[in-house]
Amino acid sequence: MDIAPADAASTAPFVDQVTALIWSTGPVSYEYHFGRREVFDSLVRRSWQAPGTLFGLDAATLALEGDQVLGIEIGFHGPEFRQRQAALAPLWPAMVEAGEVDADEIPGILERSRNASWLNPVVRQGIYYIHAIAVDPKYRGKQIGQRLLMQAMDQGRALDCRALELDVLSDNPAVGFYTSQGLELLVESRAPKPEAFGVPPEWRMGVSLRS
């Protein structure tokens, strides 16, 4: 198994696997945001090939074995989050033109995104932020998640970040894994409209990168 930064040439065949892994980090949240799984998949596929966007491969590390993506981590210096989120905007017209989303759906998607933004506190300077980390269920229990998390910590230190943080839905079993790796709960965020849909409170968890 290799753990290495993603690049366009080697990951083109793996985009569907990547999209499925990212979806697995919070299905109910993404369903609330996008309404349809097909819209989410289209946006992630386009974002993956667009550096500087929220799901861009330029921020991704993959665990690969042969033609299988075993796991993924997407992370960056925390203040990039809002910049990368805003950089998704130019992707929507191409999606409409390709018939991947109806133009009438977009206002609702944007409104739900604003509603859900309260679940994600601002990420401060000096924080390495993991936007997504997941391991294919078939390969769990093989320390892949631990290796991806350790790689993210090393990346954070290389960027001279003082801590690593991530957001996770409070009912996600991954909470136990993060706790076992030294992350602690920093804040719990609730948002009424997503919660009415079934999105649970979000936990910001973190760990110091300095001894």
Side-chain angles (χ1 to χ4, degrees):
M1 179 184 69
D2 295 320
I3 292 183
D7 67 85
S10 64
T11 62
F14 306 136
V15 174
D16 288 344
Q17 294 178 51
V18 165
T19 301
L21 281 170
I22 296 172
W23 174 268
S24 75
T25 64
V28 67
S29 180
Y30 285 131
E31 186 181 356
Y32 173 75
H33 272 82
F34 295 98
R36 295 190 292 119
R37 171 72 186 269
E38 294 83 0
V39 176
F40 171 86
D41 286 354
S42 296
L43 181 66
V44 172
R45 290 190 194 102
R46 290 180 177 274
S47 175
W48 184 252
Q49 301 294 337
T53 58
L54 197 57
F55 303 100
L57 64 81
D58 60 313
T61 298
L62 298 180
L64 288 169
E65 189 167 71
D67 62 354
Q68 293 296 312
V69 178
L70 312 186
I72 186 172
E73 183 266 334
I74 297 177
F76 35 76
H77 184 220
E80 289 183 32
F81 180 85
R82 297 303 179 198
Q83 300 167 21
R84 286 177 171 271
Q85 187 178 48
L88 294 173
L91 304 182
W92 290 104
M95 290 173 60
V96 171
E97 185 176 354
E100 296 164 359
V101 64
D102 191 299
D104 293 339
E105 294 178 272
I106 294 177
I109 292 170
L110 297 179
E111 180 182 0
R112 293 190 297 274
S113 181
R114 286 190 294 271
N115 294 338
S117 68
W118 296 101
L119 294 170
N120 303 110
V122 173
V123 190
R124 300 160 295 166
Q125 291 283 340
I127 301 298
Y128 183 85
Y129 181 72
I130 293 181
H131 176 228
I133 183 169
V135 174
D136 187 308
K138 298 189 297 293
Y139 302 103
R140 290 175 186 167
K142 300 180 182 295
Q143 298 187 320
I144 298 169
Q146 183 181 46
R147 289 183 60 183
L148 287 168
L149 184 59
M150 293 303 104
Q151 177 75 14
M153 290 181 178
D154 288 343
Q155 178 67 13
R157 293 186 184 99
L159 294 172
D160 198 30
C161 293
R162 66 179 181 275
L164 175 147
E165 295 180 3
L166 55 81
D167 290 313
V168 58
L169 295 176
S170 54
D171 66 351
N172 191 323
V175 168
F177 165 70
Y178 298 139
T179 301
S180 74
Q181 300 302 307
L183 279 72
E184 62 178 346
L185 174 62
L186 303 175
V187 66
E188 179 180 272
S189 302
R190 311 179 78 98
K193 291 182 179 179
E195 192 164 353
F197 182 83
V199 180
E202 190 109 40
W203 283 7
R204 172 68 55 84
M205 300 185 72
V207 63
S208 174
L209 296 178
R210 296 176 179 171
S211 54

